[in-house]
Amino acid sequence: MANETAARWARLRLLARIGRHPSAILLLAQLLALLAYPFSEGTPGGAAWFGAFGAVVLLLAMRMVHRTAGHARFVIALVLAVPAVASNLLATAGGVAWLAPWSAVLEALFYFHAAACLVAYMLADRRATSDELFAAGATFTLLAWAFAHVFSACQALQPGCFGSTPAGLATRSWTELLFFSFVLLSSTGIGDVVPLTPHARALASLEIFVGVMYLALVVSRLIGLTVLSRTER
């Protein structure tokens, strides 16, 4: 009996510890989705699975916004998330193809809003906690997801705006656009997807700028606060 009680308390403490790090949960879900998407893309039922996993990530992001940003920003996130999920389900499961670009725009706006809430959360404190360090990673992935949805909407409205090296199909898959987004945001320059039209190049340039500014401002500040907190001990 004593061992069972101790194990139960240990599980409760673990759940409480996990609950104090919503950014870590969101980051883990996004990384798992990043690894899982290639297995479902192009398969029967893959679009439905993709939409369901995306809805889970949206819910986790909303929980994170409610936990870190307060009620007003949570309401904005809710207003963006509900039509985004509904239009995504109609576009993928319901076959309403014309909704696809607008669903992508709504999801992009939601992820941008969630990323802005996390940035405000990280900059509000004078100490770099472990959850804020997880938030730095989660914000990066949120921005990558947001721009990938922007590229998806651009491609739906302007077919052929993204090419590949070597030349391949005219339409880039979601995995390719997400990879392209991570490449631009991190400025690694290893991508094989190429923006071909002025609109696509403008969006790609904007993401490069956002990535450089994010790394320069947010990450450097968190590193500075971490070093400062250690020197003050």
Side-chain angles (χ1 to χ4, degrees):
M1 180 65 71
N3 291 336
E4 292 181 1
T5 303
R8 188 179 299 111
W9 278 109
R11 287 194 294 269
L12 290 175
R13 285 195 296 268
L14 178 61
L15 291 175
R17 191 177 298 114
I18 294 174
R20 290 195 296 267
H21 296 84
S23 301
I25 300 173
L26 174 61
L27 177 60
L28 178 61
Q30 289 177 297
L31 294 179
L32 289 176
L34 182 65
L35 296 175
Y37 283 153
F39 293 98
S40 64
E41 202 166 51
T43 61
W49 184 94
F50 178 86
F53 208 125
V56 170
V57 174
L58 281 174
L59 289 173
L60 290 173
M62 287 183 62
R63 180 179 181 275
M64 177 274 305
V65 170
H66 186 266
R67 170 78 163 70
T68 61
H71 182 70
R73 291 179 179 175
F74 174 75
V75 171
I76 296 175
L78 186 64
V79 169
L80 292 172
V82 171
V85 172
S87 58
N88 182 49
L89 289 175
L90 287 173
T92 55
V96 187
W98 64 269
L99 274 177
W102 310 114
S103 171
V105 169
L106 286 171
E107 290 194 62
L109 290 174
F110 173 85
Y111 284 121
F112 279 128
H113 175 68
C117 291
L118 269 184
V119 170
Y121 165 64
M122 288 186 288
L123 298 180
D125 203 352
R126 298 300 301 172
R127 293 183 57 194
T129 63
S130 57
D131 188 61
E132 286 171 341
L133 295 177
F134 285 123
T139 303
F140 188 88
T141 53
L142 283 172
L143 289 172
W145 249 259
F147 275 104
H149 282 294
V150 170
F151 297 150
S152 180
C154 182
Q155 181 174 244
L157 295 172
Q158 194 178 49
C161 62
F162 293 102
S164 65
T165 306
L169 297 175
T171 301
R172 305 272 66 82
S173 67
W174 167 257
T175 302
E176 289 177 307
L177 292 178
L178 187 59
F179 173 70
F180 180 56
S181 181
F182 271 98
V183 167
L184 294 181
L185 197 62
S186 60
S187 299
T188 55
I190 60 172
D192 56 355
V193 179
V194 182
L196 300 178
T197 64
H199 300 89
R201 288 171 179 163
L203 293 173
S205 300
L206 179 62
E207 182 170 14
I208 294 171
F209 173 77
V210 170
V212 171
M213 294 304 295
Y214 175 74
L215 292 175
L217 297 178
V218 177
V219 176
S220 62
R221 184 178 187 275
L222 287 177
I223 293 174
L225 289 177
T226 302
V227 173
L228 179 63
S229 62
R230 290 180 178 177
T231 57
E232 289 177 349
R233 291 177 182 176

